[in-house]
Amino acid sequence: MKQSRITAILTVAGMLATMWVFEILDSFLFSGGLDREFGLRAWTFSEPWTVLTAPFMHGNLAHLIGNSLPFLVLGSLVAFSGLGRFLLTTLIVALVSGIGVWLFSQPLSLTVGASGLVFGYFGYTVLRGVIERKTIDIVIMICVVLFYGTMIWGVLPQHPGVSWQAHLFGFVGGLLAAYLLPRRERRNQAGQWKPGAQGGYYAP
């Protein structure tokens, strides 16, 4: 489990590094061409795979800088559950957020950015603490609410050019992932006695 957590956290860092590589290339070499190619364009059927690529694109360096720290922190907190759970959570959030953006944004509008994932990780960590009821998950939930609780207002339409749809449906995707993914099994406490086959008892 420890190795899985380390690998998952490294995966988060690798995803963020990939976003930076793409944005530097797009800003200085392609003049926004990568955004137009891999961003999510609402109400078009020709490029459904952009649901998964749009989170890696950003409108400019300032956009990416704004997303980097919360993506790294919240993504790492999700990754603490292990690589498999992190990847499944990311997939669910990306799909729900992308479909929501595709359906509820203005037709042909282009959406890019990792904020959908950020809001998804936020929703996941909050609800997971309630579902798991384990000390570490509850501590993570409390810390996330204290430091990032004001993010919840981002699910409402506020500023032109900011995709509240990505925020709202990313958050919903995170809640869905926390609910759908199975609870982690609780390990038996060391020294706990269980009935044996011969009517006696044995220690695990």
Side-chain angles (χ1 to χ4, degrees):
M1 184 62 179
K2 181 179 179 181
Q3 184 62 41
S4 179
R5 289 172 178 171
I6 294 174
T7 303
I9 292 173
L10 291 176
T11 301
V12 175
M15 290 173 63
L16 181 59
T18 301
M19 294 176 193
W20 273 92
V21 170
F22 283 155
E23 184 53 38
I24 291 172
L25 291 174
D26 199 34
S27 297
F28 296 101
L29 294 179
F30 297 103
S31 302
L34 294 181
D35 288 345
R36 293 187 293 272
E37 181 69 22
F38 297 104
L40 177 58
R41 200 171 295 277
W43 291 88
T44 61
F45 294 91
S46 59
E47 299 171 334
W49 43 268
T50 56
V51 166
L52 300 177
T53 59
F56 289 88
M57 304 295 119
H58 288 80
N60 49 49
L61 286 172
H63 185 199
L64 176 56
I65 290 171
N67 279 334
S68 291
L69 183 59
F71 176 85
L72 185 61
V73 173
L74 294 173
S76 295
L77 292 176
V78 176
F80 193 77
S81 298
L83 179 61
R85 190 176 294 267
F86 169 74
L87 293 177
L88 285 173
T89 299
T90 300
L91 179 61
I92 292 171
V93 170
L95 290 176
V96 175
S97 177
I99 292 172
V101 167
W102 189 89
L103 284 174
F104 293 98
S105 297
Q106 183 178 351
L108 301 182
S109 60
L110 186 68
T111 300
V112 295
S115 57
L117 293 180
V118 171
F119 274 78
Y121 296 154
F122 171 70
Y124 174 91
T125 53
V126 170
L127 186 57
R128 202 67 192 175
V130 176
I131 292 176
E132 289 283 355
R133 297 181 183 178
K134 296 178 67 175
T135 302
I136 184 61
D137 292 297
I138 293 174
V139 170
I140 288 174
M141 176 187 70
I142 293 173
C143 291
V144 166
V145 171
L146 286 176
F147 287 97
Y148 291 100
T150 56
M151 280 179 53
I152 193 65
W153 300 113
V155 304
L156 301 175
Q158 296 183 56
H159 306 290
V162 176
S163 179
W164 62 268
Q165 297 92 334
H167 298 172
L168 173 60
F169 288 99
F171 181 72
V172 171
L175 298 179
L176 188 62
Y179 179 78
L180 290 179
L181 296 179
R183 293 179 64 178
R184 296 193 295 274
E185 295 183 1
R186 300 174 185 270
R187 296 182 178 178
N188 294 318
Q189 294 182 354
Q192 181 179 353
W193 294 87
K194 296 182 179 180
Q198 303 301 323
Y201 291 87
Y202 61 88

Short mmCIF file of all heavy atoms in Angstrom, two decimals, residues 46-106:
data_model
loop_
_atom_site.label_atom_id
_atom_site.label_comp_id
_atom_site.label_asym_id
_atom_site.label_seq_id
_atom_site.Cartn_x
_atom_site.Cartn_y
_atom_site.Cartn_z
N SER A 46 -17.09 15.48 -33.12
CA SER A 46 -15.95 14.99 -33.89
C SER A 46 -14.76 14.57 -33.03
O SER A 46 -13.94 13.76 -33.45
CB SER A 46 -15.50 16.07 -34.88
OG SER A 46 -15.14 17.26 -34.20
N GLU A 47 -14.64 15.12 -31.80
CA GLU A 47 -13.45 14.85 -30.99
C GLU A 47 -13.84 14.54 -29.55
O GLU A 47 -13.51 15.28 -28.61
CB GLU A 47 -12.51 16.06 -31.02
CG GLU A 47 -12.01 16.41 -32.42
CD GLU A 47 -11.27 17.72 -32.46
OE1 GLU A 47 -11.55 18.58 -31.60
OE2 GLU A 47 -10.41 17.89 -33.34
N PRO A 48 -14.51 13.41 -29.31
CA PRO A 48 -14.95 13.08 -27.94
C PRO A 48 -13.79 12.85 -26.98
O PRO A 48 -13.94 13.01 -25.76
CB PRO A 48 -15.77 11.80 -28.15
CG PRO A 48 -15.26 11.21 -29.41
CD PRO A 48 -14.90 12.38 -30.28
N TRP A 49 -12.62 12.49 -27.49
CA TRP A 49 -11.47 12.22 -26.64
C TRP A 49 -10.94 13.47 -25.94
O TRP A 49 -10.18 13.38 -24.97
CB TRP A 49 -10.35 11.57 -27.46
CG TRP A 49 -10.14 12.19 -28.80
CD1 TRP A 49 -10.71 11.80 -29.97
CD2 TRP A 49 -9.31 13.32 -29.12
NE1 TRP A 49 -10.29 12.61 -31.00
CE2 TRP A 49 -9.43 13.54 -30.51
CE3 TRP A 49 -8.48 14.14 -28.37
CZ2 TRP A 49 -8.76 14.57 -31.16
CZ3 TRP A 49 -7.80 15.17 -29.00
CH2 TRP A 49 -7.95 15.37 -30.39
N THR A 50 -11.38 14.66 -26.39
CA THR A 50 -10.91 15.89 -25.74
C THR A 50 -11.46 16.02 -24.32
O THR A 50 -10.97 16.85 -23.55
CB THR A 50 -11.29 17.13 -26.56
OG1 THR A 50 -12.71 17.15 -26.76
CG2 THR A 50 -10.61 17.11 -27.91
N VAL A 51 -12.46 15.21 -23.96
CA VAL A 51 -12.93 15.17 -22.58
C VAL A 51 -11.76 14.83 -21.64
O VAL A 51 -11.69 15.33 -20.51
CB VAL A 51 -14.07 14.13 -22.43
CG1 VAL A 51 -14.34 13.83 -20.97
CG2 VAL A 51 -15.33 14.64 -23.11
N LEU A 52 -10.85 13.99 -22.12
CA LEU A 52 -9.71 13.56 -21.31
C LEU A 52 -8.47 14.42 -21.50
O LEU A 52 -7.60 14.46 -20.63
CB LEU A 52 -9.37 12.09 -21.63
CG LEU A 52 -10.48 11.07 -21.37
CD1 LEU A 52 -10.03 9.68 -21.79
CD2 LEU A 52 -10.90 11.08 -19.91
N THR A 53 -8.36 15.10 -22.63
CA THR A 53 -7.16 15.91 -22.88
C THR A 53 -7.30 17.36 -22.44
O THR A 53 -6.30 18.02 -22.10
CB THR A 53 -6.79 15.89 -24.38
OG1 THR A 53 -7.89 16.39 -25.15
CG2 THR A 53 -6.48 14.46 -24.82
N ALA A 54 -8.53 17.88 -22.40
CA ALA A 54 -8.73 19.29 -22.06
C ALA A 54 -8.16 19.67 -20.69
O ALA A 54 -7.64 20.79 -20.54
CB ALA A 54 -10.23 19.64 -22.13
N PRO A 55 -8.22 18.79 -19.66
CA PRO A 55 -7.65 19.19 -18.37
C PRO A 55 -6.14 19.44 -18.39
O PRO A 55 -5.62 20.11 -17.49
CB PRO A 55 -7.97 17.98 -17.46
CG PRO A 55 -9.18 17.36 -18.08
CD PRO A 55 -8.98 17.53 -19.56
N PHE A 56 -5.46 18.95 -19.42
CA PHE A 56 -4.01 19.16 -19.51
C PHE A 56 -3.66 20.46 -20.23
O PHE A 56 -2.49 20.84 -20.27
CB PHE A 56 -3.35 17.98 -20.21
CG PHE A 56 -3.33 16.72 -19.39
CD1 PHE A 56 -4.39 15.82 -19.43
CD2 PHE A 56 -2.26 16.42 -18.56
CE1 PHE A 56 -4.38 14.67 -18.67
CE2 PHE A 56 -2.23 15.27 -17.79
CZ PHE A 56 -3.31 14.39 -17.85
N MET A 57 -4.65 21.12 -20.81
CA MET A 57 -4.43 22.36 -21.54
C MET A 57 -4.84 23.56 -20.67
O MET A 57 -5.73 23.44 -19.83
CB MET A 57 -5.26 22.38 -22.83
CG MET A 57 -5.02 21.18 -23.75
SD MET A 57 -3.33 21.16 -24.41
CE MET A 57 -2.76 19.60 -23.77
N HIS A 58 -4.21 24.70 -20.88
CA HIS A 58 -4.57 25.91 -20.14
C HIS A 58 -4.50 27.12 -21.07
O HIS A 58 -3.71 27.15 -22.01
CB HIS A 58 -3.66 26.10 -18.93
CG HIS A 58 -3.94 25.12 -17.83
ND1 HIS A 58 -3.46 23.82 -17.85
CD2 HIS A 58 -4.66 25.25 -16.69
CE1 HIS A 58 -3.88 23.19 -16.78
NE2 HIS A 58 -4.60 24.02 -16.05
N GLY A 59 -5.33 28.11 -20.75
CA GLY A 59 -5.42 29.29 -21.60
C GLY A 59 -4.14 30.09 -21.65
O GLY A 59 -3.79 30.66 -22.68
N ASN A 60 -3.41 30.14 -20.53
CA ASN A 60 -2.14 30.86 -20.48
C ASN A 60 -1.40 30.41 -19.22
O ASN A 60 -1.92 29.60 -18.43
CB ASN A 60 -2.36 32.38 -20.48
CG ASN A 60 -3.40 32.81 -19.45
OD1 ASN A 60 -3.33 32.41 -18.29
ND2 ASN A 60 -4.36 33.61 -19.88
N LEU A 61 -0.22 30.93 -19.03
CA LEU A 61 0.59 30.53 -17.88
C LEU A 61 -0.06 30.92 -16.56
O LEU A 61 0.03 30.19 -15.57
CB LEU A 61 1.99 31.15 -17.99
CG LEU A 61 2.92 30.52 -19.03
CD1 LEU A 61 4.20 31.33 -19.17
CD2 LEU A 61 3.25 29.06 -18.66
N ALA A 62 -0.72 32.09 -16.54
CA ALA A 62 -1.40 32.51 -15.31
C ALA A 62 -2.50 31.53 -14.93
O ALA A 62 -2.69 31.22 -13.74
CB ALA A 62 -1.97 33.91 -15.49
N HIS A 63 -3.22 31.04 -15.91
CA HIS A 63 -4.27 30.04 -15.69
C HIS A 63 -3.67 28.77 -15.08
O HIS A 63 -4.19 28.22 -14.11
CB HIS A 63 -4.95 29.73 -17.02
CG HIS A 63 -6.12 28.81 -16.91
ND1 HIS A 63 -6.62 28.11 -18.01
CD2 HIS A 63 -6.89 28.42 -15.86
CE1 HIS A 63 -7.64 27.38 -17.62
NE2 HIS A 63 -7.82 27.54 -16.33
N LEU A 64 -2.57 28.33 -15.63
CA LEU A 64 -1.91 27.12 -15.13
C LEU A 64 -1.35 27.33 -13.72
O LEU A 64 -1.47 26.45 -12.86
CB LEU A 64 -0.79 26.70 -16.08
CG LEU A 64 0.07 25.50 -15.65
CD1 LEU A 64 -0.79 24.27 -15.38
CD2 LEU A 64 1.11 25.19 -16.72
N ILE A 65 -0.75 28.48 -13.48
CA ILE A 65 -0.19 28.77 -12.16
C ILE A 65 -1.31 28.73 -11.11
O ILE A 65 -1.13 28.19 -10.01
CB ILE A 65 0.52 30.14 -12.16
CG1 ILE A 65 1.80 30.06 -13.00
CG2 ILE A 65 0.84 30.59 -10.73
CD1 ILE A 65 2.46 31.40 -13.25
N GLY A 66 -2.46 29.28 -11.44
CA GLY A 66 -3.58 29.29 -10.51
C GLY A 66 -4.08 27.89 -10.16
O GLY A 66 -4.56 27.65 -9.05
N ASN A 67 -3.95 26.96 -11.10
CA ASN A 67 -4.42 25.59 -10.87
C ASN A 67 -3.35 24.68 -10.26
O ASN A 67 -3.69 23.63 -9.69
CB ASN A 67 -4.89 24.96 -12.19
CG ASN A 67 -6.29 25.38 -12.57
OD1 ASN A 67 -7.10 25.74 -11.72
ND2 ASN A 67 -6.60 25.34 -13.86
N SER A 68 -2.09 25.05 -10.38
CA SER A 68 -1.00 24.12 -10.05
C SER A 68 -0.99 23.69 -8.60
O SER A 68 -0.95 22.49 -8.29
CB SER A 68 0.35 24.73 -10.43
OG SER A 68 0.49 24.83 -11.82
N LEU A 69 -0.99 24.64 -7.67
CA LEU A 69 -0.88 24.29 -6.25
C LEU A 69 -2.08 23.48 -5.76
O LEU A 69 -1.90 22.42 -5.14
CB LEU A 69 -0.66 25.53 -5.40
CG LEU A 69 -0.45 25.26 -3.90
CD1 LEU A 69 0.77 24.36 -3.68
CD2 LEU A 69 -0.29 26.57 -3.14
N PRO A 70 -3.32 23.93 -6.01
CA PRO A 70 -4.45 23.11 -5.55
C PRO A 70 -4.50 21.74 -6.21
O PRO A 70 -4.89 20.75 -5.58
CB PRO A 70 -5.69 23.95 -5.88
CG PRO A 70 -5.23 24.95 -6.87
CD PRO A 70 -3.79 25.20 -6.58
N PHE A 71 -4.09 21.65 -7.48
CA PHE A 71 -4.06 20.35 -8.15
C PHE A 71 -3.05 19.43 -7.46
O PHE A 71 -3.35 18.26 -7.20
CB PHE A 71 -3.67 20.51 -9.62
CG PHE A 71 -3.53 19.19 -10.35
CD1 PHE A 71 -4.65 18.57 -10.90
CD2 PHE A 71 -2.30 18.57 -10.47
CE1 PHE A 71 -4.53 17.34 -11.55
CE2 PHE A 71 -2.17 17.35 -11.11
CZ PHE A 71 -3.29 16.73 -11.66
N LEU A 72 -1.88 19.96 -7.14
CA LEU A 72 -0.84 19.15 -6.52
C LEU A 72 -1.24 18.72 -5.11
O LEU A 72 -1.09 17.56 -4.73
CB LEU A 72 0.47 19.94 -6.47
CG LEU A 72 1.70 19.19 -5.95
CD1 LEU A 72 2.02 17.99 -6.83
CD2 LEU A 72 2.91 20.13 -5.88
N VAL A 73 -1.80 19.66 -4.33
CA VAL A 73 -2.17 19.35 -2.94
C VAL A 73 -3.35 18.39 -2.89
O VAL A 73 -3.29 17.33 -2.26
CB VAL A 73 -2.50 20.64 -2.17
CG1 VAL A 73 -3.06 20.31 -0.79
CG2 VAL A 73 -1.25 21.51 -2.04
N LEU A 74 -4.45 18.75 -3.55
CA LEU A 74 -5.65 17.93 -3.48
C LEU A 74 -5.45 16.59 -4.20
O LEU A 74 -5.94 15.55 -3.75
CB LEU A 74 -6.84 18.69 -4.07
CG LEU A 74 -7.27 19.93 -3.28
CD1 LEU A 74 -8.35 20.70 -4.03
CD2 LEU A 74 -7.76 19.55 -1.89
N GLY A 75 -4.73 16.63 -5.32
CA GLY A 75 -4.44 15.38 -6.03
C GLY A 75 -3.62 14.43 -5.18
O GLY A 75 -3.86 13.22 -5.16
N SER A 76 -2.66 14.97 -4.44
CA SER A 76 -1.82 14.13 -3.57
C SER A 76 -2.63 13.55 -2.42
O SER A 76 -2.39 12.41 -1.99
CB SER A 76 -0.65 14.95 -3.02
OG SER A 76 0.22 15.36 -4.06
N LEU A 77 -3.61 14.30 -1.92
CA LEU A 77 -4.47 13.79 -0.86
C LEU A 77 -5.33 12.63 -1.36
O LEU A 77 -5.56 11.65 -0.65
CB LEU A 77 -5.35 14.90 -0.29
CG LEU A 77 -4.61 15.99 0.49
CD1 LEU A 77 -5.57 17.09 0.92
CD2 LEU A 77 -3.90 15.39 1.71
N VAL A 78 -5.81 12.74 -2.60
CA VAL A 78 -6.54 11.62 -3.19
C VAL A 78 -5.59 10.45 -3.41
O VAL A 78 -5.94 9.28 -3.17
CB VAL A 78 -7.20 12.03 -4.52
CG1 VAL A 78 -7.88 10.83 -5.18
CG2 VAL A 78 -8.22 13.14 -4.30
N ALA A 79 -4.38 10.75 -3.85
CA ALA A 79 -3.39 9.71 -4.13
C ALA A 79 -3.00 8.95 -2.87
O ALA A 79 -2.51 7.82 -2.96
CB ALA A 79 -2.14 10.34 -4.76
N PHE A 80 -3.24 9.54 -1.71
CA PHE A 80 -2.93 8.85 -0.46
C PHE A 80 -3.74 7.56 -0.32
O PHE A 80 -3.38 6.66 0.43
CB PHE A 80 -3.21 9.78 0.73
CG PHE A 80 -2.66 9.28 2.03
CD1 PHE A 80 -1.31 9.39 2.31
CD2 PHE A 80 -3.48 8.68 2.97
CE1 PHE A 80 -0.79 8.93 3.51
CE2 PHE A 80 -2.97 8.21 4.18
CZ PHE A 80 -1.63 8.33 4.45
N SER A 81 -4.84 7.46 -1.08
CA SER A 81 -5.67 6.25 -1.07
C SER A 81 -5.08 5.14 -1.94
O SER A 81 -5.58 4.03 -1.93
CB SER A 81 -7.09 6.57 -1.55
OG SER A 81 -7.72 7.49 -0.70
N GLY A 82 -4.03 5.45 -2.71
CA GLY A 82 -3.42 4.45 -3.58
C GLY A 82 -3.56 4.79 -5.04
O GLY A 82 -4.42 5.58 -5.44
N LEU A 83 -2.72 4.18 -5.86
CA LEU A 83 -2.68 4.50 -7.28
C LEU A 83 -3.98 4.13 -8.00
O LEU A 83 -4.52 4.93 -8.76
CB LEU A 83 -1.51 3.77 -7.95
CG LEU A 83 -1.35 3.99 -9.47
CD1 LEU A 83 -1.12 5.46 -9.77
CD2 LEU A 83 -0.19 3.14 -10.00
N GLY A 84 -4.47 2.92 -7.76
CA GLY A 84 -5.68 2.50 -8.44
C GLY A 84 -6.86 3.41 -8.16
O GLY A 84 -7.59 3.81 -9.07
N ARG A 85 -7.06 3.75 -6.91
CA ARG A 85 -8.18 4.62 -6.53
C ARG A 85 -7.99 6.02 -7.11
O ARG A 85 -8.96 6.65 -7.55
CB ARG A 85 -8.29 4.68 -5.01
CG ARG A 85 -9.55 5.35 -4.53
CD ARG A 85 -9.62 5.28 -3.01
NE ARG A 85 -9.77 3.89 -2.57
CZ ARG A 85 -10.95 3.32 -2.35
NH1 ARG A 85 -12.06 4.00 -2.57
NH2 ARG A 85 -11.02 2.07 -1.93
N PHE A 86 -6.75 6.51 -7.12
CA PHE A 86 -6.50 7.83 -7.69
C PHE A 86 -6.83 7.86 -9.19
O PHE A 86 -7.48 8.78 -9.67
CB PHE A 86 -5.04 8.23 -7.48
CG PHE A 86 -4.65 9.45 -8.25
CD1 PHE A 86 -5.07 10.71 -7.86
CD2 PHE A 86 -3.87 9.34 -9.41
CE1 PHE A 86 -4.74 11.84 -8.60
CE2 PHE A 86 -3.53 10.46 -10.14
CZ PHE A 86 -3.96 11.71 -9.74
N LEU A 87 -6.38 6.84 -9.92
CA LEU A 87 -6.63 6.81 -11.36
C LEU A 87 -8.12 6.69 -11.67
O LEU A 87 -8.63 7.36 -12.58
CB LEU A 87 -5.87 5.65 -12.00
CG LEU A 87 -4.34 5.76 -11.98
CD1 LEU A 87 -3.70 4.52 -12.57
CD2 LEU A 87 -3.87 7.01 -12.72
N LEU A 88 -8.84 5.86 -10.92
CA LEU A 88 -10.28 5.72 -11.13
C LEU A 88 -11.01 7.01 -10.79
O LEU A 88 -11.92 7.43 -11.50
CB LEU A 88 -10.82 4.56 -10.29
CG LEU A 88 -10.50 3.16 -10.81
CD1 LEU A 88 -10.96 2.11 -9.80
CD2 LEU A 88 -11.17 2.91 -12.15
N THR A 89 -10.61 7.65 -9.70
CA THR A 89 -11.21 8.92 -9.33
C THR A 89 -10.99 9.97 -10.41
O THR A 89 -11.92 10.70 -10.80
CB THR A 89 -10.63 9.43 -7.99
OG1 THR A 89 -10.93 8.48 -6.96
CG2 THR A 89 -11.21 10.78 -7.62
N THR A 90 -9.75 10.04 -10.91
CA THR A 90 -9.43 11.01 -11.96
C THR A 90 -10.25 10.74 -13.21
O THR A 90 -10.77 11.68 -13.84
CB THR A 90 -7.93 10.94 -12.29
OG1 THR A 90 -7.17 11.25 -11.11
CG2 THR A 90 -7.57 11.92 -13.40
N LEU A 91 -10.40 9.48 -13.58
CA LEU A 91 -11.18 9.14 -14.77
C LEU A 91 -12.65 9.52 -14.60
O LEU A 91 -13.26 10.12 -15.50
CB LEU A 91 -11.06 7.64 -15.06
CG LEU A 91 -11.85 7.11 -16.27
CD1 LEU A 91 -11.38 7.79 -17.54
CD2 LEU A 91 -11.71 5.60 -16.37
N ILE A 92 -13.23 9.18 -13.45
CA ILE A 92 -14.64 9.51 -13.20
C ILE A 92 -14.85 11.02 -13.22
O ILE A 92 -15.79 11.53 -13.84
CB ILE A 92 -15.10 8.91 -11.86
CG1 ILE A 92 -15.13 7.38 -11.94
CG2 ILE A 92 -16.48 9.44 -11.47
CD1 ILE A 92 -15.36 6.69 -10.61
N VAL A 93 -13.97 11.75 -12.54
CA VAL A 93 -14.10 13.21 -12.49
C VAL A 93 -13.97 13.82 -13.87
O VAL A 93 -14.75 14.69 -14.27
CB VAL A 93 -13.05 13.80 -11.53
CG1 VAL A 93 -13.01 15.33 -11.66
CG2 VAL A 93 -13.35 13.40 -10.10
N ALA A 94 -12.97 13.37 -14.64
CA ALA A 94 -12.75 13.92 -15.98
C ALA A 94 -13.96 13.67 -16.88
O ALA A 94 -14.39 14.56 -17.64
CB ALA A 94 -11.49 13.30 -16.60
N LEU A 95 -14.53 12.49 -16.80
CA LEU A 95 -15.69 12.16 -17.64
C LEU A 95 -16.92 12.97 -17.23
O LEU A 95 -17.60 13.55 -18.09
CB LEU A 95 -15.99 10.67 -17.56
CG LEU A 95 -14.99 9.73 -18.23
CD1 LEU A 95 -15.35 8.27 -17.97
CD2 LEU A 95 -14.91 9.99 -19.73
N VAL A 96 -17.21 13.01 -15.94
CA VAL A 96 -18.40 13.75 -15.48
C VAL A 96 -18.25 15.23 -15.74
O VAL A 96 -19.17 15.90 -16.24
CB VAL A 96 -18.65 13.48 -13.99
CG1 VAL A 96 -19.81 14.34 -13.47
CG2 VAL A 96 -18.98 12.01 -13.77
N SER A 97 -17.08 15.78 -15.43
CA SER A 97 -16.83 17.20 -15.67
C SER A 97 -16.90 17.51 -17.16
O SER A 97 -17.54 18.49 -17.58
CB SER A 97 -15.47 17.59 -15.11
OG SER A 97 -15.17 18.94 -15.39
N GLY A 98 -16.25 16.67 -17.98
CA GLY A 98 -16.23 16.92 -19.42
C GLY A 98 -17.61 16.84 -20.05
O GLY A 98 -17.97 17.69 -20.88
N ILE A 99 -18.38 15.85 -19.65
CA ILE A 99 -19.74 15.72 -20.21
C ILE A 99 -20.61 16.90 -19.77
O ILE A 99 -21.39 17.43 -20.56
CB ILE A 99 -20.36 14.38 -19.76
CG1 ILE A 99 -19.62 13.21 -20.43
CG2 ILE A 99 -21.85 14.33 -20.12
CD1 ILE A 99 -20.02 11.86 -19.92
N GLY A 100 -20.45 17.32 -18.51
CA GLY A 100 -21.21 18.47 -18.04
C GLY A 100 -20.85 19.74 -18.80
O GLY A 100 -21.73 20.52 -19.18
N VAL A 101 -19.57 19.94 -19.02
CA VAL A 101 -19.12 21.10 -19.80
C VAL A 101 -19.66 21.02 -21.22
O VAL A 101 -20.15 22.01 -21.78
CB VAL A 101 -17.58 21.18 -19.81
CG1 VAL A 101 -17.09 22.18 -20.86
CG2 VAL A 101 -17.05 21.55 -18.44
N TRP A 102 -19.59 19.85 -21.83
CA TRP A 102 -20.04 19.66 -23.21
C TRP A 102 -21.53 19.96 -23.35
O TRP A 102 -21.97 20.57 -24.31
CB TRP A 102 -19.73 18.24 -23.65
CG TRP A 102 -19.94 17.98 -25.11
CD1 TRP A 102 -19.03 18.14 -26.11
CD2 TRP A 102 -21.13 17.49 -25.74
NE1 TRP A 102 -19.58 17.80 -27.32
CE2 TRP A 102 -20.87 17.40 -27.12
CE3 TRP A 102 -22.38 17.13 -25.25
CZ2 TRP A 102 -21.83 16.96 -28.02
CZ3 TRP A 102 -23.35 16.70 -26.16
CH2 TRP A 102 -23.06 16.61 -27.54
N LEU A 103 -22.32 19.56 -22.36
CA LEU A 103 -23.77 19.71 -22.45
C LEU A 103 -24.25 21.12 -22.10
O LEU A 103 -25.19 21.63 -22.73
CB LEU A 103 -24.45 18.72 -21.51
CG LEU A 103 -24.51 17.26 -21.96
CD1 LEU A 103 -25.07 16.38 -20.84
CD2 LEU A 103 -25.37 17.12 -23.22
N PHE A 104 -23.61 21.75 -21.12
CA PHE A 104 -24.18 22.98 -20.57
C PHE A 104 -23.40 24.25 -20.90
O PHE A 104 -23.78 25.33 -20.44
CB PHE A 104 -24.31 22.83 -19.05
CG PHE A 104 -25.32 21.80 -18.64
CD1 PHE A 104 -24.90 20.52 -18.29
CD2 PHE A 104 -26.67 22.09 -18.64
CE1 PHE A 104 -25.83 19.55 -17.93
CE2 PHE A 104 -27.61 21.13 -18.27
CZ PHE A 104 -27.19 19.85 -17.92
N SER A 105 -22.34 24.13 -21.68
CA SER A 105 -21.63 25.32 -22.14
C SER A 105 -22.25 25.82 -23.44
O SER A 105 -22.99 25.10 -24.12
CB SER A 105 -20.14 25.02 -22.36
OG SER A 105 -19.51 24.65 -21.16
N GLN A 106 -21.92 27.03 -23.78
CA GLN A 106 -22.42 27.59 -25.04
C GLN A 106 -21.89 26.77 -26.21
O GLN A 106 -20.71 26.42 -26.24
CB GLN A 106 -21.97 29.05 -25.18
CG GLN A 106 -22.50 29.74 -26.41
CD GLN A 106 -22.08 31.19 -26.47
OE1 GLN A 106 -21.53 31.73 -25.51
NE2 GLN A 106 -22.33 31.83 -27.60
#
